[in-house]
Amino acid sequence: MDFLTPPNLNTDVYRNMTITDRPPLLNKHLQFINIYNEKSAILGASNLADRYWNGAVWYYNDIKEFDRDKAFLHVKTESGVCDGIFLQHDKFVIGQDSGTLQVFDLSKKSNNSKELQCAGYATLHDDCLLTLSAFDDKNHIVSGGMDCCIKVWDISELIATYSFNFAHTDLITCVDVKPGSNTEFVSTSYDCEALMWDVRLTKPAQSILKKNVGLTAICWSPNKPNIVAIGTDGGEVVIVDTRKGGVKLLSKSIASFRPVHRLVFNPDSGRVEELAVCSDDVLIEVCDVNNRLSVVYKDNRHTDFVRGLTWFDRHLYSCSWDNVVLKHTTKSQNNV
């Protein structure tokens, strides 16, 4: 029997490797981008094509260029990174595939240089943590994941002050806090329903939309906090007015034939009508919510799915699984 080839032992080798033993890999698949100000921005990525499904976060102290080699600091994570939000210019939170919520802050080392230091973490979700949003006090956030659970967190203690198990009957795709609020947020799920939450109430959840397809994205308008945009698995965008007296459907439009991934209103008070949309596609669209969601800007320069969108200083920034960050000038007069 000596002539037989011994069994492949690669499995044991990989199993016993630590994160420092693994060969360096480019985390190509950019998942989110978030800009706090001109001197603070974060970019997150997951490695989706290797034996290890890990991730990385880059911190920038200058937003002129998002080349990964020019990042001020970066940190590796032991699982994929799904979302990230700022709490302060030097403090942010990320959600990971492992269900972990992790807090990082910018701290000084003994030689006065700076590093990204983990300020704490907790793994209370039973599956991937997909979506995050911060309350107005920046000390509490809300998270949602594939475990159908929504949690409201006290970041100073890293405990879940509210935990809504089976908040939806399918995985939660998006949560977003009402602008200026410390108690209200909205959520969407593949269970085809969008809910509006107020943790002060005995029955905190109220349905604001039901469809016959899964709902994949949601966001409040920062300048008109009664207005909510909702994206569907069928590529539809729906605008809903949530004021008292009943939920009113304002308008709808087909933005893409593919599932909507992210929706972001322009926070500029002079351009409140602009809504940025990306789907499971290379296309980015900006729609005019005051004109039946007519498209005022298009861009298809990305070569893989667009995952992250954020507005800053009258510009739209996008990141994609193609490892590219683009800056868009989307003035309404630049009609397509």
Side-chain angles (χ1 to χ4, degrees), residues 245-265:
V247 175
K248 181 182 178 183
L249 184 67
L250 292 182
S251 59
K252 60 183 179 179
S253 176
I254 301 297
S256 170
F257 291 112
R258 298 186 177 185
V260 174
H261 180 73
R262 197 176 292 266
L263 299 166
V264 188
F265 277 101

Side-chain angles (χ1 to χ4, degrees), residues 40-58:
S40 298
I42 52 175
L43 188 65
S46 293
N47 175 29
L48 306 182
D50 186 57
R51 183 183 292 267
Y52 295 102
W53 200 339
N54 51 21
V57 180
W58 295 268

